[in-house]
């Protein structure tokens, strides 16, 4: 499943795959560990256990395995514990506590950044678990073109920077690449995508497909960003004001948000 892995997660995956070397090198530098103690660390069984688990995390992130999150948390806890032992037993740094806290904060940030990438979205829980961008509900028509040239009309029911859910009556298989053409807030988007999941009509989900956007032109990426920014503003206003304003005031404010400000005009190039 590495075709769906983001560049950030791939970078983190490489970082953990190289952990057996990086951990010793950075530990020696940050904690000021002498060479003879580094050799003692390399002969420690605990070092190899943590290193193997870290490499397992790297593989899991690269291939987007479901179990990788729990393994990542375990490995990061072990890394903090191992750093505490290293700085206490072998470190000669005059600021041991500061060095240890710095390394712990870095590990905590890695954990947080990865969690924000792979958290399960609250909306459409059946969607692949690594689709982490916020999704906003809407209903706009979309023209979908298959590889064989067949055109299908559908409706986009939710949208994010990484993909969308399209309500369709036609059958489309997973992993099929499609072309999309739709209009939101006056911004036209033409891009390619791949079908990452399908659903039949149920009580909670209409029949349709989840599409992961592939690489798109810079202008379309900017338009998509402005669309999502507008949808985010509308969603926040709806949650905050739907019970505070009367219907006329509420609709008037929503119309103002939908209107494109001049400062948000698209610049190509």
């Amino acid at each position: 499943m590495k075709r769906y892995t983001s560049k950030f997660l791939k970078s983190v995956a490489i970082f953990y795959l190289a952990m057996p070397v990086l951990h010793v090198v950075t530990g020696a530098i940050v904690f000021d560990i002498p060479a003879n103690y580094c050799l003692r660390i390399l002969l420690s069984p605990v070092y190899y256990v943590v290193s193997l688990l870290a490499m397992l995390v790297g593989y899991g992130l690269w291939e987007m395995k479901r179990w990788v999150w729990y393994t990542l948390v375990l490995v990061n806890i072990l890394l903090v514990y191992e750093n505490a032992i290293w700085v206490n037993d072998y470190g000669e740094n005059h600021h041991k506590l500061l060095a240890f806290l710095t390394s712990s904060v870095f590990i905590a940030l890695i954990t947080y950044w990865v969690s924000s990438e792979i958290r399960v979205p609250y909306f459409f829980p059946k969607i692949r678990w690594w689709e982490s961008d916020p999704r906003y509900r809407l209903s706009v028509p979309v023209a979908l073109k298959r590889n064989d040239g067949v055109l299908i009309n559908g409706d986009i029911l939710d949208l994010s920077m990484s993909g969308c859910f399209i309500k369709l009556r036609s059958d489309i298989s997973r992993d099929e690449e499609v072309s999309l053409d739709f209009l939101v807030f006056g911004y036209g988007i033409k891009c390619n995508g791949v079908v990452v999941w399908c659903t039949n009509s149920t009580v909670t989900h209409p029949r349709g497909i989840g599409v992961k956007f592939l690489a798109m032109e810079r202008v379309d990426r900017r338009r998509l960003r402005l669309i999502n920014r507008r949808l985010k503003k509308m969603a926040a206003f709806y949650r905050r004001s739907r019970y505070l304003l009367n219907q006329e005031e509420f609709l008037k404010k929503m119309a103002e948000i939908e209107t494109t400000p001049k400062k948000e005009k698209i610049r190509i190039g």
Side-chain angles (χ1 to χ4, degrees), residues 250-261:
F250 178 79
L251 293 176
K252 180 179 179 181
K253 184 62 178 179
M254 289 291 283
E256 292 177 359
I257 296 176
E258 291 181 15
T259 304
T260 305

Side-chain angles (χ1 to χ4, degrees), residues 95-146:
H95 304 283
K96 291 184 177 182
L97 180 60
L98 179 61
F100 172 72
L101 290 177
T102 301
S103 65
S104 299
V105 168
F106 177 75
I107 293 174
L109 287 175
I110 289 291
T111 306
Y112 172 76
W113 289 330
V114 171
S115 70
S116 65
E117 284 274 328
I118 64 177
R119 69 181 184 272
V120 178
Y122 74 96
F123 192 57
F124 287 121
K126 289 185 179 180
I127 199 164
R128 292 184 181 275
W129 64 286
W130 57 85
E131 292 295 320
S132 59
D133 288 332
R135 293 179 168 267
Y136 303 105
R137 302 186 188 190
L138 73 166
S139 181
V140 295
V142 57
L144 184 148
K145 185 177 181 180
R146 305 182 67 171

Side-chain angles (χ1 to χ4, degrees), residues 28-255:
I29 295 174
V30 174
F31 303 142
D32 195 15
I33 301 175
N36 59 320
Y37 287 137
C38 288
L39 181 60
R40 185 178 299 180
I41 290 172
L42 291 174
L43 296 176
S44 170
V46 177
Y47 163 76
Y48 289 99
V49 172
V50 176
S51 296
L52 288 174
L53 287 174
M55 294 176 67
L56 186 63
V57 168
Y59 166 77
L61 287 174
W62 187 271
E63 296 291 340
M64 291 313 300
K65 300 297 184 180
R66 183 175 292 274
W67 46 261
V68 71
W69 167 247
Y70 308 101
T71 312
L72 172 72
V73 173
L74 174 62
V75 167
N76 285 350
I77 292 174
L78 292 176
L79 287 174
V80 172
Y81 176 73
E82 197 172 36
N83 285 345
I85 295 177
W86 289 5
V87 73
N88 182 69
D89 295 347
Y90 310 127
E92 296 185 356
N93 192 313
H94 295 295
H95 304 283
K96 291 184 177 182
L97 180 60
L98 179 61
F100 172 72
L101 290 177
T102 301
S103 65
S104 299
V105 168
F106 177 75
I107 293 174
L109 287 175
I110 289 291
T111 306
Y112 172 76
W113 289 330
V114 171
S115 70
S116 65
E117 284 274 328
I118 64 177
R119 69 181 184 272
V120 178
Y122 74 96
F123 192 57
F124 287 121
K126 289 185 179 180
I127 199 164
R128 292 184 181 275
W129 64 286
W130 57 85
E131 292 295 320
S132 59
D133 288 332
R135 293 179 168 267
Y136 303 105
R137 302 186 188 190
L138 73 166
S139 181
V140 295
V142 57
L144 184 148
K145 185 177 181 180
R146 305 182 67 171
N147 289 331
D148 56 8
V150 175
L151 289 174
I152 304 173
N153 293 321
D155 292 288
I156 295 178
L157 298 188
D158 84 87
L159 180 69
S160 74
M161 287 298 299
S162 60
C164 63
F165 177 81
I166 302 177
K167 179 181 177 182
L168 284 178
R169 292 186 177 181
S170 303
D171 292 325
I172 297 182
S173 59
R174 284 177 52 182
D175 297 324
E176 180 177 344
E177 293 192 8
V178 295
S179 299
L180 305 178
D181 187 354
F182 57 95
L183 183 73
V184 185
F185 300 136
Y187 297 130
I189 303 290
K190 294 182 179 181
C191 63
N192 296 323
V194 59
V195 179
V196 294
W197 68 284
C198 306
T199 179
N200 293 320
S201 180
T202 65
V203 175
T204 57
H205 298 82
R207 182 178 180 180
I209 57 174
V211 176
K212 169 83 173 180
F213 294 144
L214 299 177
M216 61 178 64
E217 297 292 335
R218 183 181 300 177
V219 62
D220 289 312
R221 174 63 60 177
R222 289 180 179 176
R223 288 171 177 169
L224 186 60
R225 187 177 296 112
L226 291 176
I227 291 170
N228 276 268
R229 189 181 302 165
R230 191 74 52 77
L231 290 172
K232 179 180 179 180
K233 186 182 296 183
M234 292 175 66
F237 174 75
Y238 177 78
R239 291 192 301 268
R240 185 177 63 250
S241 306
R242 56 179 170 169
Y243 299 122
L244 302 178
L245 303 177
N246 61 45
Q247 184 177 7
E248 182 179 350
E249 293 173 333
F250 178 79
L251 293 176
K252 180 179 179 181
K253 184 62 178 179
M254 289 291 283

